[in-house]
Amino acid sequence: MAEPLHPLLQRQLRRAGLGVDGLADRPDGWSALLQHVHRAYAEHDQERYLLERSQDLASEETARLYAALRVERDQLEGRVLDRTTALQLSEARLSSLLSLSADWVWEQDASLLFTYVSDGIRQASGIDPATLIGQRRQPAEGNADEGPGWAEFQACIEARRAFRDFTYRHPAPGEGLRYICISGEPVFTEAGEFTGYRGVGRDVTQATLAEQMVQELARFDSLTGLPNRNMFLGELDRAMARSRRHGDPFAVCFIDLDRFKTINDTLGHAAGDLLLKTMAERLRLTVRGSDMVARLGGDEFVTLLEHCGEMADLTQVAEKVLLAMAEPISVQGCSFLVTGSVGIALYPRDGDDAAMLLKHADAAMYLAKERGKNNVQFYTAELAQQAAQAFEIESALRLALARGELVLHYQPRVNVQSGTLQGMEALLRWAHPTRGMVPPGDFIPLAEERGLIVAIGRWVMNEACRQIRAWRAEGCAVPRVAINLSARQFADTSLNKDLRETLRRHEVQPQDIEVELTESVLMAEPEHANEVLRHLSAMGVHIAIDDFGTGYSSLSYLKRFPADTVKIDRTFIQGLPGDADDTAITQAVIAMAHSLGLNVVAEGVETAAQLQALQALGCNEAQGFLIGRPMSAAAIGLRLQAG
Ligand code: C2E
Ligand code: MG
Ligand code: MG
């Protein structure tokens, strides 16, 4: 039996009024046609089914994919949100840190044009960051001359290297020049392509200016603004190197103001400062711009004259300097004349190192002072000879000390009224094998200058104590012995200790010793002097002020020192009794000394008339040729035994 016709075909046949049953048995071609249509309908159904099925499948897949995508999107969104929050936090942190610090951040593109500069630069340097965007880093004029710094920095940038703490000067409108310190590093893409620099900046203007000031102070004299000794010595070294290369000699002029100390002491420091400043300015204007004028200290100036050619030219320059200095100067409403003395030494003739040149120019300057001030002297063979002689004496003196050629002579001091022996002054002599007895004036200044005096002074101390003990061993009554102390000895910190040990060694009492000091020794360092004297005085050592009247001659300051005795200088005694001034001065000194409870000794008493005058004036003691010349220990020993 044939399968039933497709339902849709059956419905269409019925709608057309044709019965379905029996159709298949009709003989005409209907049956075949109907079978054909039926198959077509069935095939169509099959196709439609397949299509619909595949459509269903596709939409299910889409829904699944969509759901997965949604999950993924949600996750991504969450991550982005997290990241954004973190980024915002970190940005806030950075900007808050940046606003707290005085630094700023900058970025440049591959052409080194600024793409970003944080606002910090405005607060720190007064520079509007907007004005920098699209610009290159522009140094102020002159940076290129500031040594290798800028060039090195450029080389570092060219090499795309990182840099730290490079400082350059940046012109800031309305703010002047700012010193800016930057650190930075190059930025590269992952592929290694250079995209620019980024880094931080800092304004270091204040610190840099402060540092510059310190450096200035180290090289320049703060009072006059002239180069100081340090800078001068550096320049002197360079001048010597130049001269060695080119064979040109040059000159060092040592300039000292005459009587500066007097002016400073009488008019005060402010006036002294003004004087120095004026002189510095005059010196600067007198020499060529290329010649250096420096202040070595105090009233000592020095100039370095290169390309000076002949001696005559040098003399001319030096005389010009003297003329300029001698112009009247007005201080505190008064007009003064201050002159200078100039000493010149030549390189390489007069010395081949800085110390030697300065020393010789200084020696020549002293000669100028000796020759009446306000003049110029060159370092000469004669001066060289004097220096050589001094050296010779120094060596001989060292030997003398070792060989025992030094001796002490003793000069008696007596009571003016009774003539009884009150004391003796130990005076040093050098028993020179060929020159005979050399007086102390011929070698003590040199010993003082060369520092030998400390050793010599120790010898004197020891010898005096040894002698006191020896005399006593011979049964003599020995009065107090005075020894002279010079400035250098007095400044020596071991003086007290040395003296105490020497006394102990020879079993001599401090009361048996008197030390003599001049006013200038005391006034060189009054604080120190006072301390040393208080120690000595506390020990029981007597203290005498020697050569009184030749220095400050102020009795009132004597109150500050624990002195026992004042020795009036020989020059005042010489005028007694004829010279009214000398008499008045001697009288005044005696009266004032007595009012302070001091013992007064007259030095250099040579005549009976002088002694009489001193008796009349109430002087306590006298020392001098009239009473007795300085004599050997043996000679005075006889006198002690007799007395
Ligand atoms: P001074 O301490 O003022 O010593 C007095 C000087 O005057 C001595 O000279 C003495 O010989 C001299 N004189 C004494 N009476 C007369 C006189 O009637 N007429 C004249 N015209 N002169 C008289 P001297 O011995 O040549 O000593 C000179 C200076 O050398 C001393 O002056 C003293 O400052 C120093 N001196 C001497 N011995 C030493 C010493 O051992 N150490 C130190 N540091 N200095 C000493
Ligand atoms: Mg003396
Ligand atoms: Mg004296």
Side-chain angles (χ1 to χ4, degrees), residues 21-332:
D21 301 327
L23 274 180
D25 305 321
R26 290 185 60 160
D28 49 14
W30 271 98
S31 174
L33 177 67
L34 284 176
Q35 280 308 316
H36 200 73
V37 173
H38 161 79
R39 269 197 304 279
Y41 271 61
E43 271 168 30
H44 174 77
D45 275 358
Q46 185 66 21
E47 269 173 28
R48 205 182 62 189
Y49 169 76
L50 283 176
L51 191 70
E52 278 175 1
R53 179 82 193 115
S54 75
Q55 260 179 358
D56 281 355
L57 283 175
S59 81
E60 265 169 38
E61 177 66 15
T62 308
R64 226 186 36 251
L65 275 178
Y66 186 69
L69 267 178
R70 224 181 15 218
V71 170
E72 210 161 291
R73 192 201 61 191
D74 286 353
Q75 282 175 350
L76 264 179
E77 265 178 6
R79 281 205 337 246
V80 166
L81 203 69
D82 286 353
R83 289 267 174 98
T84 312
T85 318
L87 206 64
Q88 277 169 349
L89 265 177
S90 124
E91 235 171 49
R93 209 156 45 217
L94 189 68
S95 87
S96 120
L97 282 179
L98 272 176
S99 73
L100 280 179
S101 98
D103 297 2
W104 63 86
V105 173
W106 52 267
E107 278 171 343
Q108 289 171 318
D109 62 15
S111 323
L112 302 175
L113 304 177
F114 282 111
T115 52
Y116 173 71
V117 180
S118 69
D119 203 54
I121 196 170
R122 190 200 309 275
Q123 277 116 52
S125 294
I127 299 169
D128 180 358
T131 60
L132 295 173
I133 304 303
Q135 304 288 316
R136 279 178 147 247
R137 181 169 283 121
Q138 286 293 353
E141 290 268 302
N143 253 328
D145 309 333
E146 282 180 10
W150 183 255
E152 248 172 47
F153 171 66
Q154 288 302 319
C156 176
I157 299 282
E158 289 304 318
R160 308 294 185 230
R161 277 187 282 123
F163 57 87
R164 279 200 83 81
D165 295 336
F166 171 70
T167 300
Y168 70 104
R169 296 189 304 168
H170 184 100
E175 301 278 333
L177 277 182
R178 304 302 301 183
Y179 286 82
I180 288 176
C181 178
I182 47 172
S183 298
E185 58 182 18
V187 184
F188 298 99
T189 62
E190 259 175 41
E193 189 195 344
F194 171 70
T195 59
Y197 263 91
R198 70 170 159 233
V200 289
R202 198 154 31 105
D203 189 287
V204 291
T205 309
Q206 261 185 342
T208 310
L209 292 182
E211 191 186 304
Q212 279 176 357
M213 202 161 89
V214 170
Q215 276 176 0
E216 289 255 308
L217 285 179
R219 289 164 63 225
F220 290 92
D221 169 45
S222 55
L223 177 67
T224 61
L226 290 180
N228 65 12
R229 177 184 288 269
N230 270 345
M231 188 166 170
F232 178 76
L233 288 179
E235 186 53 32
L236 193 52
D237 276 341
R238 283 188 286 280
M240 287 191 288
R242 279 194 294 274
S243 171
R244 278 194 293 271
R245 268 199 311 278
H246 307 299
D248 295 334
F250 68 88
V252 170
C253 298
F254 208 105
I255 304 158
D256 191 280
L257 303 188
D258 299 328
R259 287 177 291 269
F260 171 71
K261 200 171 154 22
T262 322
I263 294 171
N264 204 38
D265 287 350
T266 48
L267 293 180
H269 286 297
D273 285 356
L274 180 66
L275 178 64
L276 289 173
K277 276 204 271 206
T278 311
M279 287 303 169
E281 187 58 15
R282 289 182 186 176
L283 288 175
R284 216 173 47 74
L285 292 175
T286 313
V287 302
R288 275 182 303 209
S290 56
D291 293 331
M292 181 184 268
V293 179
R295 178 175 174 224
L296 295 186
D299 60 339
E300 290 177 351
F301 296 90
V302 69
T303 72
L304 203 155
L305 304 174
E306 285 182 285
H307 319 295
C308 44
E310 304 294 313
M311 292 278 226
D313 297 345
L314 268 177
T315 314
Q316 229 178 6
V317 176
E319 271 165 3
K320 231 168 72 187
V321 164
L322 288 182
L323 270 178
M325 291 174 86
E327 287 277 309
I329 169 172
S330 163
V331 179
Q332 294 168 0

Side-chain angles (χ1 to χ4, degrees), residues 546-547 569 603:
D546 206 353
D547 303 348
D569 193 68
E603 289 191 276

Side-chain angles (χ1 to χ4, degrees), residues 430-473:
W430 179 1
H432 196 278
T434 54
R435 287 164 61 197
M437 273 304 177
V438 183
D442 287 6
F443 63 90
I444 286 208
L446 184 84
E448 171 98 14
E449 190 191 306
R450 307 287 166 113
L452 252 176
I453 193 71
V454 175
I456 292 180
R458 276 199 200 111
W459 180 87
V460 170
M461 229 149 47
N462 186 67
E463 174 60 14
C465 291
R466 190 199 61 75
Q467 188 61 61
I468 292 172
R469 194 182 184 194
W471 278 325
R472 285 196 177 139

